Amino acid sequence: MFHPAGDARALDQAQGHWLRPDLIAWPAWDLPPGEGPANLDWRLHWSADDHIDPTASEPVPWVATSLRFDPAGIPADVAACFPHLRNHLALRLSPETAARAPEALRCQVAVSVHLPSGRLATAGQLQLPGIIDTLYAAAADAELGATWHGGTPTLRVWAPTARDVGLLLWPAGADLHAQPERHRMIPAPDGTWAITGDAGWCGARYRYLVTVFAPQSRRVVRNEVTDPYSTALTVNSTHSVLVDFSEPGLAPAQWLAAPSPVLRSPVDQVIYELHLRDFSISDRTVPEELRGSFLAPTVDSAGMAHLRRLAEAGLNTVQLLPLFDNATIEEHPGQQLQAAKDQLRSLPPDSPEQQRQVRALGGRSGFNWGYDPWHYFTPEGSYSSTLETADGAGRVAECRAMVGAFHGIGLRVVVDQVFNHTASAGQDSKSVLDRTVPGYYHRLTGTGDVETSSCCPNVATEHLMAQKLMVDACVHWARNYRVDGFRFDLMGHHSRANLLAVRAALDALTIADDGVDGRQLTMYGEGWNFGEVADNARFVQATQGQLGGTAVATFSDRLRDAVRGGSVWDGDPRGQGFGTGLLTADNGSGVNGDERARGERLAWYTDLVQLGLAGNLRGFRFGSNCRHTIVRGADLDFGGRPAAYAESPDEVITYVDAHDNETLFDALTLKLHPATPMAARVRLNTVCLALATLGQSPVMWHAGTDMLRSKSLDRNSYDSGDWFNYLDFTMTDNGFASGLPPEGDNGDKWHVLAPLLADPRLKPAPADIRAAHGQALDLLRLRASTRLFRLGTADLVQAKLTFPVANSWHQLPGVIVMALDDRRDPVDEHWSGVLTVFNSTPWLVRQTMPLDLSGYTLHPVQADGADPVVCQCEVGRDWVTVPARTAAVFVRPR
């Protein structure tokens, strides 16, 4: 970090942090021999324009003042808020200089360090979020965006470092190319700027004109920006739109009438993860003009009939991939491009041409998962049914209609939230946050660059107003759209405090005041631990094992990986697991090791699956097949961390596939021997789903996994268009063999994928798809039939659930037996015991038990269900027989 005098790079970095009015943190560095920080000349500079020269001799035409090195270091209370800065040097400002902090924050701010000789040692700009939060904390209570009182709007934006903020207004119906009305906004001490309009502003288009110093660009800019709190937008988000949500015309009848379905317990939640465009874009039973739109669920269709069947069987929640305005999808229908599907269908199943044509459409296909946040409070315009409804308030009414339609068939609506990153930062035209308060909303590296461990610019929700945006957006969607919960993308990049703040705000919502009972809203997300925040480097993260008692759940990769085999990061995707034939049906690829290695791994996977069935509870005690002793869940290893991390079964979401990575059918295709018959693949699809569905935690299915959905082996279909994300509710075509998946994320595996796609044996017939769906419905009915699959507390799980053959001579490889004994303190009025046997092997097994099975029979759901094979099960006094690749449930009446 040593810069000789006159080095032009001296202010290229922002390595210092202004944390409190009288405190700056500066990183320690290797000083020239014989020098120490106390001997150096520390100076703070600020300039209204970018012309600070740290080598200049005083007097200088900008503010320059001395700093005092504090040998006591960063105070403990400050280090607790900024743990990654605890070892930085502490520099103190005089009271007079500290009092001028609000003035300095509107300028370029830098520190220079000089040797006793006067020579420049180092210099750099300052990161300012800490001091901004200190000075403008009152803004956390401000109502941002547009608020309405008696039909009159007040607009308020938070821009504490701005020198001026104006409002550019285009009245409703005005040409957006015409000159706007210009209004001056009034600043407040909390850093907000506000203006009150009149009733005639309803429907008006607007932007803010923010004059501010942009540290990354090192210049003063005049940014025309949309409102970060926009609740409606024009097509392609060029302008914010003023919408009064209390207008009767924005409240569809079904949305008003259909109540939100109520969960008796969080563990009752059964989730179907769905992309809204996938749901209807290929459904010919939906009117063509509504396909892919918010309004598709409002009409009778094959898709809605499918969801009704699932709901009647026990599904109760639809989880929608991001619905908020994103920066990627072209919203104007006339500007979208579509691939020639007839031509794509004519190509070979292993051809690279399909993906080439899909990728050639760029960002104009109309498809994207939507994980590119732009405006968090506005529904995405590409889901509007027409160009007119995409422009302004129409998308609000249509999104509400969608929620009402799902509520009408008994499904709760969870929306996917992506507060961990934005699509862009800096002065990019789609960087609404950074162009309003430069350098504040994004997490920065030690030298001032934006962190991108999430793959995009990371949002620093540890900063007060970034957390406020997160909380306010969730409250907005709950109150104004009546959604029933939130799924948080990369939740581990947020703090536990962030999630508690959201939880508290939701819990405060009431039917009387807000039209929704906030305590009923569920919260869960991806609690992965990685990036610059890993291992609590900057705060206590919202990761697996750190959310006990918060009513916030995390997805568990433990059971997922054990069932599928290997890891989603494997270079070779053919690693097998408990549900994909490890040891019992080797796929011949050679990646699974020798027989001893396969056996040891299967024992470990069996433990992980059993643990997952028991809610992944830290304290759950059971016989370990890999440790050969009784263990607690926390004693099992998973990648160097405890396998179990939950205190309660509702803190985990169990699943075997999701929108990320290969679908379950595609994973089976990759991991099973190519000669495995399709009937066996269907059965293993059901076994894998059963392992997620019949456990003690809430469960999630990826849309279509119940009908063998394939993405033609695409492991990352976020931008793969409608072609590779095909979803067919007529259950005619599961999407397999649609060509080699896009090269960018799959090309290094094409040599493995191509032979599979070209193999006609691996394409299921409609009868296979219908069979899978029928068996999946039975799984939902089984789960719904008894509270024993949904006990709800760790104490009840420990008291009633056992794995009676684990780590015993009875144990058969590839078989799990789960017993639920309800003879004491019963929770089920019908059954005194439930016995579930998961047989993933390719042969019928006769499993002996250290139990008295007198009185047990096959569960009525399966005895009268869709699968004739499971009816071949038999029960003896201390044994059961279960056919190959079958999950069977036996019950003992009271």
Side-chain angles (χ1 to χ4, degrees), residues 18 44-49 61-65 96-109 128 131-132 135-136 160-163 212-213:
W18 196 345
L44 174 66
H45 309 259
W46 69 80
S47 169
D49 300 298
W62 60 85
V63 176
T65 184
E96 295 78 16
T97 303
R100 298 180 66 185
E103 170 194 343
L105 296 184
R106 293 175 174 84
C107 301
Q108 182 186 27
V109 188
L128 304 176
I131 181 65
I132 290 175
L135 294 179
Y136 301 106
T161 60
R163 301 179 186 183
V212 65
F213 182 83

Side-chain angles (χ1 to χ4, degrees), residues 738-773:
S738 297
L740 283 165
E743 185 174 12
D745 287 296
N746 305 279
D748 61 334
K749 300 178 179 64
W750 272 3
H751 66 289
V752 173
L753 311 185
L756 299 172
L757 293 169
D759 190 337
R761 298 173 299 174
L762 304 184
K763 177 78 172 178
D768 300 313
I769 300 172
R770 291 193 296 271
H773 177 60

Side-chain angles (χ1 to χ4, degrees), residues 346-654:
S346 70
L347 295 168
D350 58 344
S351 169
E353 182 62 19
Q354 293 97 326
Q355 63 89 32
R356 189 197 66 77
Q357 292 190 27
V358 168
R359 297 298 296 163
L361 302 178
R364 297 175 63 185
S365 71
F367 180 94
N368 195 278
W369 279 348
Y371 290 92
D372 300 313
W374 193 354
H375 298 90
Y376 287 102
F377 296 76
T378 304
E380 164 58 29
S382 66
Y383 295 137
S384 300
S385 64
T386 66
L387 181 63
E388 290 71 28
T389 56
D391 191 42
R395 63 174 81 177
V396 173
E398 292 193 346
C399 186
R400 284 175 161 182
M402 174 204 69
V403 174
F406 286 132
H407 283 172
I409 62 171
L411 293 177
R412 295 163 60 84
V413 178
V414 167
V415 292
D416 201 333
Q417 299 285 45
V418 188
F419 297 112
N420 66 86
H421 66 253
T422 56
S424 56
Q427 285 296 300
D428 185 90
S429 62
K430 296 182 178 180
S431 173
V432 62
L433 296 176
D434 222 4
R435 294 175 74 227
T436 305
V437 191
Y440 176 82
Y441 280 100
H442 291 97
R443 191 173 298 127
L444 305 180
T445 68
T447 55
D449 295 322
V450 175
E451 293 277 10
T452 57
S453 58
S454 67
C455 82
C456 302
N458 293 355
V459 176
T461 48
E462 63 269 28
H463 299 163
L464 184 65
M465 296 301 284
Q467 174 178 280
K468 175 180 171 60
L469 181 143
M470 181 178 180
V471 172
D472 289 351
C474 290
V475 169
H476 170 74
W477 282 92
R479 178 187 285 147
N480 292 313
Y481 291 94
R482 299 184 184 174
V483 302
D484 306 287
F486 302 98
R487 180 263 191 198
F488 296 94
D489 184 65
L490 297 186
M491 190 170 65
H493 271 47
H494 301 306
S495 69
R496 177 185 165 102
N498 291 155
L499 275 296
L500 288 173
V502 174
R503 183 73 266 171
L506 295 179
D507 287 347
L509 301 178
T510 65
I511 295 289
D513 293 337
D514 308 288
V516 60
D517 180 359
R519 296 169 300 176
Q520 267 285 312
L521 273 69
T522 51
M523 294 171 53
Y524 55 88
E526 295 180 304
W528 316 134
N529 177 41
F530 70 97
E532 73 282 355
V533 298
D535 300 323
N536 302 321
R538 299 202 180 197
F539 43 74
V540 177
Q541 298 163 264
T543 48
Q544 294 171 333
Q546 298 197 148
L547 290 166
T550 64
V552 180
T554 58
F555 291 101
S556 173
D557 47 351
R558 278 59 165 169
L559 181 140
R560 179 200 70 187
D561 286 0
V563 170
R564 291 165 65 108
S567 162
V568 297
W569 308 111
D570 288 350
D572 191 318
R574 292 173 292 182
Q576 292 177 279
F578 181 91
T580 57
L582 180 64
L583 183 66
T584 61
D586 187 66
N587 61 22
S589 67
V591 303
N592 294 291
D594 59 23
E595 185 171 2
R596 178 177 177 179
R598 297 197 301 271
E600 291 176 350
R601 193 177 311 114
L602 179 59
W604 177 52
Y605 281 163
T606 301
D607 286 353
L608 293 176
V609 173
Q610 291 176 156
L611 183 59
L613 289 165
N616 214 61
L617 299 170
R618 295 182 202 267
F620 182 74
R621 298 179 63 82
F622 67 106
S624 166
N625 297 279
C626 71
R627 296 274 293 273
H628 304 297
T629 186
I630 300 296
V631 299
R632 296 182 317 119
D635 297 331
L636 284 178
D637 177 76
F638 184 80
R641 297 175 182 267
Y645 60 81
E647 301 292 341
S648 174
D650 64 351
E651 295 171 10
V652 169
I653 304 291
T654 304

Side-chain angles (χ1 to χ4, degrees), residues 620 791 793-802 821-822 824-825:
F620 182 74
L791 290 168
T793 71
D795 288 343
L796 282 174
V797 172
Q798 187 66 72
K800 294 180 179 291
L801 191 155
T802 60
D821 190 333
D822 200 35
R824 297 181 60 183
D825 302 318

Side-chain angles (χ1 to χ4, degrees), residues 659-740:
H659 69 277
D660 280 324
N661 309 305
E662 297 88 354
T663 67
L664 177 57
F665 177 86
D666 285 347
L668 289 166
T669 301
L670 289 162
K671 296 171 185 297
L672 297 177
H673 194 286
T676 307
M678 184 54 62
R681 295 171 184 271
V682 171
R683 303 196 64 74
L684 282 175
N685 193 81
T686 302
V687 169
C688 291
L689 275 182
L691 290 164
T693 306
L694 301 182
Q696 293 296 320
S697 295
V699 58
M700 186 190 79
W701 291 3
H702 180 42
T705 198
D706 55 301
M707 48 186 185
L708 308 181
R709 183 184 187 180
S710 170
K711 296 181 181 178
S712 207
L713 306 180
D714 191 352
R715 70 180 309 273
N716 189 14
S717 67
Y718 77 101
D719 196 24
S720 300
D722 301 323
W723 181 253
F724 288 100
N725 288 281
Y726 182 65
L727 186 56
D728 176 20
F729 289 112
T730 69
M731 293 185 277
T732 302
D733 184 350
N734 79 328
F736 185 73
S738 297
L740 283 165

